[in-house]
Amino acid sequence: MTPIVSKLPNTGTTIFTVLSALANKVGAINLSQGFPDFDTSPILIDLVNKAMLSGKNQYAPMAGVLALREQIAIKTKKLYGSNYNPETEITVTAGGTQAIFTAIAALINQNDEVIIFEPAYDCYAPAIRLAGGIVKSLELEPPDYKIPWDMVKKLANSKTRMIILNSPHNPTATILQKQDIEELSALVRNQEILILSDEVYEHLIFDNQIHHSMASYPELQQKSIIVSSFGKTLHATGWKAGYCIGPEYLMNEFRKVHQFLVFSVNTPMQYAIAEYLKDENTYLGLSNFFQEKRDYFREGMTQTRFELLSSAGTYFQMATYQKITDESDYDFAIRLTKEKGVAAIPVSSFYSKGTDHHVLRFCFAKQKETLEKALEKLIKV
Ligand code: GLN
């Protein structure tokens, strides 16, 4: 064997893959990896078929099919009030993760510091390290996982190049509030700090709260690359389609990497999504749709010994389990899957130090029957 120096020596297989594989193997109900167990709209599938049958099967333009970029511009203007030029400020990506990786690869230089908040989605830190950047993480704590802005201020310095935000937040299901936006604005004002804003769950916000997109605040918008995901918006995680928007000076750099990483994204899906998004109800209805599932799941969980944290957005519900066991969250998640037949994600996996607050993340993007069956099992735990 030729010796290699691993670029990510401490990285294993993602927890999502581990738990989903285990759930499949033992036949457990899979509330671990976040994906719907119901299908995307037949209308959308029909539109993809039509695109394929009408010969839309060769490379899309590098930045994405223009009709789709135009729809993204319209949606962003309507929801957040800001203008993005489809020609120069919007790029269609192979999902949110690719957009995040590309943004970091394009904008982070050797020894640049990047602030992230843990629990953090697991792709941020490896992408920063591969780019030669330095991860500066701050831990958030249950039950409310509020960003400690005074500590952020202390951490930020002249080497800080980027801060990664994620709202609605995976895994905690919290959302940024107006006050966070004010703190963030004060932090980056007159500083050379860029914002990478992971907004892949932008349309899944509950209880009539609003999504504070970076695109809503001109001062922040100018410094932000914003990432969204059609996987979440269209119940089609397997299509690996998403996009990113940002001011031209950032998007220029983004596209330099994008063109050599994926070049372009599959064509027929883009034509289909462009057509489908013309009906705004396709995304405006998502909050109600998922809130119903959240409420059903939460109601059922009150009959278990789990204790629920709040869920303001995303399709995740966090729960603690002090009344059940003092096992580590990882051990408990594995045992829950194998012995009790329900898979969930141990939240310690989202902390670089493995910090274990004894919290599991459940995905409720499931059919009512699936949730019902899972609840029947969880009640017995
Ligand atoms: N975003 C999904 C989740 O949080 C996982 C996606 C993946 O497995 N890479 O569960």
Side-chain angles (χ1 to χ4, degrees):
M1 270 212 302
T2 307
I4 51 146
V5 180
S6 174
K7 292 192 143 188
L8 298 170
N10 302 319
T11 300
T13 306
T14 85
I15 191 71
F16 310 116
T17 303
V18 172
L19 259 305
S20 274
L22 182 64
N24 288 338
K25 188 172 148 211
V26 303
I29 297 172
N30 190 2
L31 305 188
S32 64
Q33 190 179 27
F35 64 90
D37 74 339
F38 44 87
D39 214 352
T40 187
S41 157
I43 299 169
L44 184 53
I45 291 177
D46 201 41
L47 289 167
V48 174
N49 279 335
K50 284 197 180 116
M52 285 184 173
L53 290 169
S54 65
K56 303 279 196 276
N57 299 304
Q58 307 308 327
Y59 292 127
M62 184 269 278
V65 165
L66 187 59
L68 178 54
R69 284 183 277 145
E70 283 168 352
Q71 284 307 314
I72 294 167
I74 292 168
K75 172 166 93 77
T76 309
K77 171 79 180 164
K78 193 167 52 191
L79 295 180
Y80 310 124
S82 53
N83 291 309
Y84 284 86
N85 183 342
E87 297 280 357
T88 53
E89 299 185 310
I90 298 175
T91 302
V92 180
T93 62
T97 301
Q98 185 240 311
I100 289 164
F101 188 95
T102 305
I104 292 170
L107 300 169
I108 294 305
N109 285 294
Q110 204 69 30
N111 296 326
D112 281 348
E113 295 187 1
V114 181
I115 297 177
I116 67 170
F117 301 102
E118 297 183 345
Y121 190 58
D122 64 349
C123 76
Y124 303 157
I128 297 164
R129 293 204 177 95
L130 286 173
I134 295 166
V135 179
K136 292 283 175 184
S137 51
L138 270 179
E139 293 202 359
L140 310 180
E141 303 211 344
D144 51 13
Y145 297 97
K146 283 236 170 297
I147 295 179
W149 287 105
D150 48 335
M151 285 166 79
V152 183
K153 270 179 228 155
K154 281 189 202 139
L155 199 60
N157 65 72
S158 60
K159 285 184 273 170
T160 309
R161 183 66 180 141
M162 180 182 275
I163 179 166
I164 303 184
L165 290 155
N166 171 214
S167 180
H169 188 267
N170 180 8
T172 65
T174 56
I175 57 176
L176 289 179
Q177 301 293 343
K178 190 81 215 279
Q179 204 204 331
D180 294 304
I181 297 295
E182 281 158 18
E183 297 275 9
L184 176 66
S185 305
L187 181 83
V188 300
R189 194 168 294 141
N190 306 321
Q191 303 293 326
E192 290 175 16
I193 303 178
L194 299 172
I195 298 164
L196 175 55
S197 189
D198 175 352
E199 303 184 15
V200 298
Y201 297 98
E202 63 177 321
H203 300 302
L204 280 66
I205 293 255
F206 309 133
D207 307 316
N208 297 318
Q209 300 214 60
I210 61 159
H211 171 53
H212 291 283
S213 173
M214 296 303 131
S216 302
Y217 302 93
E219 193 184 358
L220 298 176
Q221 187 267 345
Q222 271 312 304
K223 291 168 168 273
S224 297
I225 285 272
I226 302 172
V227 173
S228 191
S229 160
F230 291 123
K232 278 70 178 175
T233 305
L234 307 173
H235 317 310
T237 58
W239 289 8
K240 292 304 300 175
Y243 62 89
C244 113
I245 58 177
E248 191 172 344
Y249 76 105
L250 297 179
M251 194 52 73
N252 273 342
E253 296 305 315
F254 183 95
R255 288 184 181 174
K256 288 181 193 171
V257 176
H258 177 79
Q259 66 183 342
F260 295 125
L261 193 57
V262 289
F263 180 62
S264 66
V265 176
N266 75 76
T267 306
M269 265 73 170
Q270 293 191 59
Y271 278 101
I273 296 170
E275 199 52 39
Y276 190 68
L277 289 184
K278 286 184 183 164
D279 176 3
E280 64 177 16
N281 296 317
T282 54
Y283 51 90
L284 293 184
L286 285 176
S287 286
N288 281 342
F289 175 77
F290 279 110
Q291 186 169 326
E292 227 170 81
K293 294 191 180 296
R294 179 202 66 166
D295 292 346
Y296 178 74
F297 186 63
R298 285 180 68 90
E299 172 63 29
M301 284 293 272
T302 58
Q303 293 165 55
T304 71
R305 290 193 292 159
F306 288 92
E307 283 162 302
L308 298 176
L309 304 186
S310 46
S311 171
T314 74
Y315 42 49
F316 301 119
Q317 173 65 56
M318 305 261 282
T320 59
Y321 55 83
Q322 273 86 342
K323 288 191 185 146
I324 300 171
T325 174
D326 56 10
E327 279 165 288
S328 74
D329 64 355
Y330 185 83
D331 288 349
F332 183 45
I334 298 288
R335 192 167 68 81
L336 193 65
T337 309
K338 283 187 182 161
E339 292 175 15
K340 307 290 177 183
V342 180
I345 297 284
V347 173
S348 64
S349 315
F350 298 86
Y351 286 97
S352 51
K353 296 195 180 98
T355 308
D356 184 0
H357 294 289
H358 289 201
V359 186
L360 297 183
R361 187 200 79 175
F362 295 89
C363 172
F364 55 76
K366 306 293 168 188
Q367 298 171 62
K368 199 169 176 197
E369 304 78 72
T370 309
L371 294 175
E372 194 179 352
K373 280 191 204 131
L375 287 165
E376 272 168 25
K377 291 179 187 289
L378 291 170
I379 285 167
K380 295 189 194 125
V381 177

